[in-house]
Amino acid sequence: EVQLVESGGDLVQPGGSLRLSCAASGFTFSSYSMNWVRQAPGKGLEWLSYIGRGAATIYYADSVRGRFTASRDDARNLLFLHMNSLRADDTAVYYCAKDSGSAADHWGQGTLVTVSS
Amino acid sequence: DTRLTQSPSTLSAAVGDRVTITCRASQIISNWVAWYQQKPGKAPKLLIYQVSNLASGVPSRFSGSGSGTEFTLAISDLQPDDFATYYCQQYNSFSLFTFGPGTTVHLK
């Protein structure tokens, strides 16, 4: 069974940094691209980042490019999102999602990031 | 960049109804269109991929269709478990996702 478990969400001050993790199991992690998607309170889904197999290709949404960095550790089946220069509008539930090649076919339960002083 | 709109934004329906949700793109897009269901406090769940393919375990009352700039999610014989928010999503050749704003299906 595919499982994705995010962690690392926290309350952080504006301008601060945070690293989110996503632990994957139940599939050959290294063979799949992965995505980060977030959802602000009461809002819709916003795609943030795509990281291909072996991290050979990484893409970002304009809203986070230059502030967020996606990475992966295939030896430990972990996906990361390093977030810097956090702003109030980064407050959201952050999901990792497995990429099927044309959609996100499995999602984690999400981790909440709150940016506030 | 391609933008997706969904109509209606909210929909009231009764158990047993057939409902359709439309997703329109700002330009002709590929057939890499997916639909997700999300319930409050839960992660999205993939329903349909590549316009009309049912994801694993999804009931056959869900169906997808469309091409070009207009795509549709239909739910026949609406069940109590189907009251949720639905998002369309486009996946482009640069492996980038774009989500629609969502359609919430309420109990009438």
Side-chain angles (χ1 to χ4, degrees):
Chain A
E1 177 194 4
V2 172
Q3 282 203 319
L4 297 168
V5 180
E6 301 92 339
S7 61
D10 205 348
L11 171 63
V12 61
Q13 292 191 337
S17 299
L18 207 57
R19 187 187 79 166
L20 305 183
S21 301
C22 170
S25 61
F27 65 104
T28 306
F29 180 71
S30 60
S31 296
Y32 288 89
S33 302
M34 298 291 294
N35 292 276
W36 286 99
V37 177
R38 71 183 178 187
Q39 186 169 38
K43 302 297 184 183
L45 302 171
E46 180 188 13
W47 171 82
L48 299 179
S49 180
Y50 163 97
I51 181 166
R53 291 181 296 173
T57 307
I58 305 177
Y59 298 115
Y60 298 98
D62 290 344
S63 60
V64 303
R65 187 177 297 114
R67 300 188 300 125
F68 291 11
T69 302
S71 62
R72 61 191 299 163
D73 182 339
D74 288 345
R76 295 192 294 158
N77 291 348
L78 289 170
L79 177 72
F80 300 105
L81 186 67
H82 304 255
M83 305 186 295
N84 295 322
S85 303
L86 284 162
R87 313 183 300 224
D89 63 358
D90 293 318
T91 294
V93 174
Y94 286 71
Y95 297 100
C96 63
K98 175 178 165 287
D99 194 302
S100 69
S102 61
D105 61 354
H106 291 87
W107 298 62
Q109 85 289 348
T111 188
L112 176 62
V113 173
T114 303
V115 184
S116 175
S117 55
Chain B
D1 290 355
T2 302
R3 294 185 181 274
L4 301 179
T5 59
Q6 288 182 232
S7 60
S9 56
T10 62
L11 188 161
S12 295
V15 173
D17 283 354
R18 182 179 190 277
V19 301
T20 58
I21 299 169
T22 300
C23 178
R24 291 186 176 88
S26 58
Q27 59 187 300
I28 293 174
I29 60 176
S30 69
N31 285 343
W32 286 353
V33 172
W35 291 91
Y36 301 85
Q37 177 193 66
Q38 187 180 33
K39 296 179 181 178
K42 301 294 187 183
K45 172 188 172 183
L46 178 65
L47 297 176
I48 302 281
Y49 64 96
Q50 290 177 18
V51 177
S52 59
N53 294 283
L54 218 55
S56 176
V58 174
S60 59
R61 62 179 181 273
F62 291 91
S63 63
S65 63
S67 65
T69 62
E70 189 163 312
F71 300 85
T72 300
L73 172 70
I75 313 171
S76 62
D77 189 23
L78 200 66
Q79 296 298 299
D81 191 50
D82 300 337
F83 294 98
T85 299
Y86 294 86
Y87 295 93
C88 62
Q89 169 246 311
Q90 180 234 350
Y91 187 107
N92 72 19
S93 56
F94 295 101
S95 304
L96 307 183
F97 284 18
T98 303
F99 289 100
T103 294
T104 301
V105 179
H106 296 286
L107 179 63
K108 185 185 292 182

